[in-house]
Every structure is written in structure tokens, then in C-alpha cells.
Amino acid sequence: MKVEYEVNSWKSAGYRDSLAIMSVYDSDGIVDDFIIFYLSSLKTVADRIIVVVNGKLTVSGEHKLRTITDEIYIRENIGFDFGAYKDVLEYYLKPEEIKQYQELILCNDTCFGPLVSFKEIFYKMRDKTLEMWSINYIDDILLPHFQSYFMVFRKNAIRILLDFLHREVDSKAVELAQAHGYEHGLSEVLLMNHVKSGFYTSKAQQNHNIDIFKSPDYAIKYLGFPMLKRKVFSEDFYIRENCAEALRLIDENTEYPFRYIQETVKRVYHRKIPEKIENSFLPELYTFGGNEAKREQVIEFCNKHKKIYVYGTGYMSELFMARFGRYVSVFGGYIVSDEFYRNGLHKGQKIYPLSDIERNVPIIIALMRESTFQVMDKMCGRENVLFLSVKPSK
């Protein structure tokens, strides 16, 4: 089906002087048609669009992008999306140039869409009192966060964002856990500064924590999620029935050009999508895994104890430090089980074997659920221990 793009900037009240920065990446430097569709819809709500390319860009890809904008910033593929945003805002734009904009949009190419126009999405989010909003929000009790593939900042939130990027984002980062940490770190900064925030899917009555990767169909149907994450077709997340139902919903209920999904999925993930999805499935609902400790409980623990140690050096400890490190007065270092101890540093901090730590020392157990169960017995008899992922039995 053919969809005519509306390319005139939207000049409704409250949405003038809007800057959008879109981060894109393809290992071969190719710009697929779904990106041009995305940018064309974005152009209806943004007065200026800067596309920042992480890595390579083909000549044909550049020609495609220039049908939307002449502002293309190509950088090395490091730092992920947050590193790309930081470089554009600190090095591409002139000093103080950002101050002329009332609104800043940060987005990336990890989604097909929008399944409804950005003009419609922005109209729904027209509350002028909001300082920041995103498409979706995960209401985990420990790690609540705004998903960062599409975020809009206004007023004081722009200043807070710029400060966060400058102080906390390494534009040369290469570890994926750091990228996740930036999403969580920014969310924590917004929460601790009491920024008035919202999210597009907030009107849904239930299932706020639907896993948009494993249950894209439920996200579209029950959240009104206006996008489809590309990685739903990857080996890590692909669930055939859920993807098929999501595609059927898109094909039958939206005007989104179905072939854009087909072409990209075939090229990137080597999966063939049929022209028509006719079967209606009843797939399983997946939600993001919850944690046991509450965010407020962790902050209280950090405020109560002057010096704190973190048990673990993996993904969960990365997220903990990105979010809650700002509440720790003195960080003692990382702890690992004696059998895994090797003398050295982690993130510039000393690592200790558990046997070297006195029994009353405050410890945060920052491990995933499976690993937490393996160390719970080692915590018996210790005081001042807080588990993040698992609630210890009494």
C-alpha cells in the first residue's frame, strides 16, 4: 500500500522550535526505507532534524537521508545512542545553540514505525506542563525507567539532560551494559529531580510492563504501542507466534507500509515474512522480569550507611552503580565469592574476596536472580545486607 508523506513542520501551539536528533546504525552502512518513513513522520513535528550515523554510510544511504535533511553527522561506532547524542550536542552544535529550542527529541532506528503518525502521538502528549516524556515506561519497583528509543525533553529537562550527558556519558563506551546504564542513569536523574514526566502508553489500564521484545503483539494491542522493535526478529527474542500476530495487527489495522518490515527483516535477520498473515494466534504474554527490592528502599539503605560495598561485577552491578551510585557517600569497592576472586580492579575500584569483609559491613547484593540464589547461604549471619533481585526467606 502507498502512503503519502506529510513533510511540512507541525506549527501547532507548543511545538515550535523543535530539534530532533536521530541515531542510526547499520553494519553495512545501508539506510532502509523504514528509516525514511520514520524521518518523514518525524519531520511533521520537528523543525530541524539531525541524523547522526554511528559507523559506515553508503553513498545511496546518504542520498536517501538527504531527501529529509542535509544535516548528517557521521562518527565512529562507539558510545551507542547516548554517545551519539552527546557528540552532536557538544561538538556539532554551536555553543549555546541548543538554548534556542523549546523542545528536544532524541530517537533511534531500533523501531519500525510509527504505526500512527508522530503528529497524532504529539497531539496526545500535548500537555504543556510536561517537561519530559517517552513512548513507554517500565514500572519496575527497583529500576523504573523511561525507555530511551524515543524521548522528548522540554524546559528544565533539557538542562538536566545536557548535564547528564556531559557528566556521566562516555561517548567512547563499547560495553552494552554501559548503554543500558545510561538509560537507567538518566531515568534516575529525572526522578530524583522530580521532573514532571509522562509516557505515551500511560492510558493503558493494565500490563504496563509488557515485554515489547517478546510480546510485541500484546504491546500493540493492549498498550497501544505505536512501534515494533526490530530485535523482535533476532535470535535472542524471536517468538514466531507473537511476531506473526503483531504483523497481522499491523497489516490489518494500520497504514504502515508492510514491505518495509519484510525487506529489513529479510536482509538483517534472514527471516522471510509472507505477504499476508492470516492466522490469529493466542500467544503467551511475556512481561519484563521484576525485582524484589524497591527503589525507595535502596535509596534509604544508601543514605543510612556512610560506606557501602557492592557484591557482583556483572550486569546488575553496572545498573546499580549507574542509578544509585549517586546516593552512595563512600563506595568501598566490589565483592566476589572467594572462589572467583582475582586480585585486580573493576571500573577502577578494588575487588575484595568475601572472606576479607567484616560481617557487619553494609553490602548490596547486585546480582541477577539466578546468581543471587547461589550466594544467599554465604550471607547467613551477616548484618546490613540488601538483596536487589530476590527477597531472602526469613
Side-chain angles (χ1 to χ4, degrees):
M1 66 182 70
K2 183 178 180 181
V3 176
E4 296 294 334
Y5 301 143
E6 182 177 2
V7 296
N8 294 321
S9 293
W10 187 28
K11 293 296 185 181
S12 298
Y15 292 95
R16 300 171 191 265
D17 301 321
S18 178
L19 168 64
I21 303 173
M22 184 176 185
S23 171
V24 302
Y25 165 77
D26 184 85
S27 59
D28 297 313
I30 294 172
V31 175
D32 287 315
D33 287 340
F34 84 89
I35 294 178
I36 303 305
F37 180 93
Y38 191 112
L39 286 167
S40 297
S41 187
L42 187 63
K43 197 169 184 179
T44 67
V45 296
D47 297 286
R48 179 184 181 186
I49 296 176
I50 301 171
V51 176
V52 52
V53 179
N54 286 329
K56 296 185 291 185
L57 179 64
T58 64
V59 173
S60 62
E62 181 178 350
H63 287 163
K64 281 186 176 183
L65 291 177
R66 289 196 183 280
T67 63
I68 305 296
T69 178
D70 285 329
E71 296 194 79
I72 303 170
Y73 180 77
I74 302 174
R75 64 190 292 276
E76 189 178 353
N77 183 32
I78 51 178
F80 305 97
D81 297 322
F82 277 87
Y85 303 145
K86 177 177 181 174
D87 281 359
V88 169
L89 290 164
E90 293 191 351
Y91 303 118
Y92 177 80
L93 294 182
K94 297 176 182 177
E96 306 295 310
E97 188 175 0
I98 187 63
K99 290 185 178 180
Q100 69 183 270
Y101 295 101
Q102 299 176 24
E103 185 172 72
L104 174 61
I105 304 166
L106 300 182
C107 57
N108 62 35
D109 65 343
T110 61
C111 302
F112 296 111
L115 306 180
V116 298
S117 71
F118 277 127
K119 183 179 286 189
E120 182 177 334
I121 291 171
F122 273 64
Y123 183 78
K124 180 178 177 180
M125 303 303 297
R126 64 189 181 278
D127 183 350
K128 295 180 184 179
T129 65
L130 288 180
E131 296 179 284
M132 179 271 172
W133 61 269
S134 63
I135 292 293
N136 196 33
Y137 177 78
I138 303 304
D139 195 23
D140 183 81
I141 62 171
L142 173 64
L143 302 172
H145 64 281
F146 299 94
Q147 294 187 306
S148 61
Y149 44 81
F150 194 95
M151 302 179 292
V152 179
F153 300 85
R154 304 174 189 150
K155 304 176 183 177
N156 186 52
I158 295 179
R159 180 190 62 77
I160 292 173
L161 167 70
L162 295 176
D163 185 69
F164 172 80
L165 292 174
H166 181 72
R167 292 176 179 271
E168 301 194 31
V169 172
D170 177 6
S171 59
K172 293 181 171 55
V174 295
E175 296 179 15
L176 186 58
Q178 282 182 278
H180 294 164
Y182 295 148
E183 181 177 71
H184 283 274
L186 177 57
S187 294
E188 188 60 42
V189 168
L190 293 169
L191 291 171
M192 73 183 295
N193 282 283
H194 307 289
V195 172
K196 186 170 182 182
S197 307
F199 51 103
Y200 176 77
T201 60
S202 62
K203 299 300 182 184
Q205 297 298 311
Q206 56 184 356
N207 297 324
H208 287 297
N209 290 347
I210 286 176
D211 188 330
I212 60 175
F213 294 96
K214 293 184 178 180
S215 289
D217 47 339
Y218 280 91
I220 293 170
K221 190 171 183 178
Y222 296 115
L223 282 182
F225 188 61
M227 296 179 172
L228 177 68
K229 294 293 285 185
R230 291 170 54 188
K231 282 189 176 181
V232 303
F233 300 100
S234 69
E235 289 294 333
D236 290 336
F237 299 107
Y238 183 66
I239 299 174
R240 178 182 175 276
E241 292 79 8
N242 296 41
C243 288
E245 180 65 4
L247 292 169
R248 186 187 69 81
L249 290 169
I250 293 171
D251 190 34
E252 294 183 1
N253 301 302
T254 77
E255 294 186 329
Y256 188 80
F258 196 69
R259 67 179 179 85
Y260 294 167
I261 302 175
Q262 291 173 307
E263 292 168 355
T264 300
V265 170
K266 181 179 179 180
R267 182 180 72 85
V268 177
Y269 300 108
H270 313 294
R271 300 188 190 278
K272 186 176 181 180
I273 298 174
E275 292 296 326
K276 188 72 176 175
I277 308 291
E278 297 182 348
N279 295 328
S280 179
F281 297 93
L282 291 174
E284 184 177 353
L285 170 63
Y286 291 83
T287 57
F288 289 106
N291 292 291
E292 293 292 345
K294 295 181 179 180
R295 170 178 172 267
E296 295 76 11
Q297 183 182 1
V298 176
I299 295 173
E300 181 182 357
F301 187 90
C302 293
N303 290 334
K304 178 181 178 181
H305 301 287
K306 182 178 180 181
K307 188 174 184 179
I308 290 175
Y309 291 76
V310 169
Y311 196 116
T313 57
Y315 180 73
M316 197 66 180
S317 70
E318 182 82 31
L319 294 190
F320 171 83
M321 293 303 294
R323 290 201 69 126
F324 301 109
R326 66 195 79 249
Y327 299 106
V328 177
S329 297
V330 179
F331 181 61
Y334 294 95
I335 301 172
V336 297
S337 300
D338 285 34
E339 60 267 32
F340 297 115
Y341 172 71
R342 299 291 184 275
N343 189 30
L345 302 175
H346 178 70
K347 304 292 184 181
Q349 298 289 338
K350 190 171 181 180
I351 303 174
Y352 298 89
L354 181 60
S355 59
D356 281 1
I357 305 299
E358 296 181 5
R359 303 191 73 80
N360 62 341
V361 167
I363 302 174
I364 301 278
I365 309 298
L367 301 170
M368 303 297 282
R369 293 181 67 85
E370 296 77 10
S371 299
T372 300
F373 284 122
Q374 296 174 11
V375 304
M376 289 184 76
D377 288 344
K378 298 176 181 179
M379 297 297 116
C380 289
R382 286 187 172 271
E383 303 175 4
N384 302 321
V385 176
L386 179 62
F387 294 84
L388 299 185
S389 301
V390 177
K391 183 180 295 185
S393 57
K394 295 181 179 180

